[in-house]
Amino acid sequence: MILAFESSCDDTCVAIVKNGRVLANAIGSQILVHRKTQGVVPEVAAREHAKNIKTVLETCLKDAKLKLSDITAIACANQPGMTGCLLVGSTFASALAALLNLPIYEVNHKLGHVYSCFLERERQEIKFPFIALSVSGGHNELYLVEAVGKHTMLGSTLDDAAGEAYDKVAKMLGLNYPGGPEISRVALEGNPKAFSFPCPLPHQKFNFSFSGLKTNVKYKIQELSKPLNPPQVSDIAASFQHCINTNLVKKTLKAVQAHQAQQVHLVGGVSANLDLRKKMQLACTPIEVLTPQEFSFCTDNAAMIGVVAELLAPKHQLSAGDMVQV
Ligand code: KG4
Ligand code: ZN
């Protein structure tokens, strides 16, 4: 029974996981606070975590109908992310582990996303080797996973992550934060062929780069008459979404072919994007594409931190009071 914490960015998350099942997944969202600045100010986010973490823990225990005395291990995200934010979660988790005399697993946030398709799934559903495309606001990577604990990063972004590009383009178009869901909403009304943006970093197999695409969108917006009318906003959003998603799919497919992957796991906040899911499945057929079982397991959550601790626990055999980084 693992109590997990995740506080690397703008969501205060606490979850309880047992045998891959999510008994509770509480999320204290800070979106309304960060909307005022159209993005996350790290110190503001850290203070919000400190203010909310105890309440989110109480909600989590109440949702699971459990008490702290039922918990057998603690897990928390320890990197990467905003330092002040991570420290709130990991200090709170360590204090709790010391108080309850429980082992604590400090988990790399990125691995949480990589293994997030294990949540609420039978283990036989996962086929190795699989390629994980992890796309979010802070990171954008391709992994080869040959077995639990045997994961290799094949490539990553050289500049912006896909989610970051979605957020920045949304800001240019006058849309709300976070930009990904907003772009996909307005893109439904737009024509993905209205504007043709050049394919980013076509010659590198597994690395990504989205800052050039972002600049191309900026120039296109400057070229059009101001203020943009709603059909123009929709057309730019649809064309940008088409370009970035096509690029993500192309590189994933290359990795699948290079490593004879049996499955693709599309994970991270941007994996909530329906156009990306559709394009990925179409390109990878007959290889199966898995996405996290719930949309709340795509964006940052603590359940994915708990499942990594659980999956890697047999390797470490921790006793009460022990700590390990995984
Ligand atoms: O995984 P996540 O919650 O946080 C990080 O680890 O960064 O991902 C958040 C990112 C944001 O950039 C957000 O705009 C993007 O995921 N996102 C989406 C969608 N929903 C969230 N991007 C595209 N389409 C969506 N539907
Ligand atoms: Zn994340």
Side-chain angles (χ1 to χ4, degrees):
M1 190 84 76
I2 300 192
L3 176 66
F5 294 85
E6 148 58 43
S7 63
S8 62
C9 186
D10 58 347
D11 289 315
T12 314
C13 314
V14 186
I16 300 175
V17 175
K18 187 183 181 189
N19 296 330
R21 300 289 155 201
V22 182
L23 306 187
N25 187 32
I27 300 179
S29 171
Q30 301 179 5
I31 281 182
L32 294 179
V33 175
H34 301 305
R35 220 164 241 175
K36 291 182 205 143
T37 43
Q38 283 281 302
V40 182
V41 177
E43 190 180 327
V44 174
R47 286 178 192 277
E48 285 293 309
H49 285 305
K51 199 166 82 189
N52 300 330
I53 195 159
K54 183 170 167 278
T55 314
V56 182
L57 167 64
E58 284 161 358
T59 307
C60 178
L61 288 165
K62 196 165 158 226
D63 289 352
K65 298 188 178 58
L66 291 169
K67 298 187 288 298
L68 278 178
S69 53
D70 297 316
I71 303 300
T72 55
I74 306 271
C76 67
N78 71 333
Q79 58 159 332
M82 296 175 185
T83 310
C85 295
L86 285 163
L87 277 175
V88 173
S90 58
T91 307
F92 190 91
S94 312
L96 208 55
L99 201 71
L100 301 170
N101 198 27
L102 294 175
I104 177 163
Y105 296 86
E106 296 203 332
V107 176
N108 184 307
H109 172 94
K110 295 203 261 186
L111 284 189
H113 284 298
V114 170
Y115 288 98
S116 57
C117 288
F118 284 66
L119 288 165
E120 294 289 344
R121 274 203 170 89
E122 298 300 331
R123 286 292 286 276
Q124 319 73 282
E125 287 180 63
I126 309 290
K127 303 206 170 58
F128 297 99
F130 67 79
I131 295 293
L133 173 70
S134 181
V135 267
S136 74
H139 35 90
N140 192 124
E141 286 123 15
L142 271 171
Y143 286 85
L144 167 67
V145 184
E146 295 170 272
V148 166
K150 195 168 176 216
H151 39 258
T152 318
M153 197 173 82
L154 301 174
S156 65
T157 182
L158 305 181
D159 39 59
D160 290 358
E164 192 179 352
Y166 266 96
D167 292 339
K168 287 178 178 167
V169 167
K171 196 169 175 180
M172 290 179 210
L173 292 173
L175 301 171
N176 250 335
Y177 171 85
E182 288 290 292
I183 295 251
S184 55
R185 181 178 61 78
V186 300
L188 289 174
E189 310 288 322
N191 173 9
K193 303 263 164 71
F195 304 103
S196 163
F197 297 116
C199 174
L201 217 60
H203 305 300
Q204 286 212 20
K205 261 190 177 168
F206 305 137
N207 286 328
F208 304 85
S209 163
F210 297 120
S211 68
L213 171 61
K214 193 183 63 190
T215 310
N216 278 309
V217 175
K218 185 175 150 196
Y219 289 152
K220 184 52 71 185
I221 293 171
Q222 284 170 354
E223 212 180 286
L224 297 167
S225 60
K226 286 257 175 65
L228 296 181
N229 59 39
Q232 284 174 321
V233 169
S234 292
D235 281 347
I236 293 176
S239 304
F240 162 76
Q241 179 176 256
H242 175 71
C243 177
I244 193 164
N245 288 354
T246 304
N247 191 258
L248 292 169
V249 168
K250 258 190 200 160
K251 297 198 175 191
T252 308
L253 196 59
K254 276 187 188 155
V256 167
Q257 288 160 350
H259 296 279
Q260 287 90 44
Q262 302 299 304
Q263 220 167 37
V264 169
H265 291 200
L266 178 54
V267 296
V270 182
S271 72
N273 186 280
L274 297 183
D275 177 72
L276 177 60
R277 289 179 175 206
K278 207 162 91 193
K279 282 185 165 67
M280 190 67 84
Q281 188 58 74
L282 209 65
C284 293
T285 303
I287 304 286
E288 186 185 18
V289 178
L290 296 189
T291 46
Q293 286 287 40
E294 291 182 18
F295 280 111
S296 61
F297 303 157
C298 295
T299 43
D300 288 348
N301 65 89
M304 67 182 192
I305 302 300
V307 89
V308 171
E310 196 170 47
L311 288 167
L312 301 184
K315 215 169 100 183
H316 298 288
Q317 297 291 340
L318 295 200
S319 314
D322 287 351
M323 191 267 264
V324 70
Q325 296 195 348
V326 295

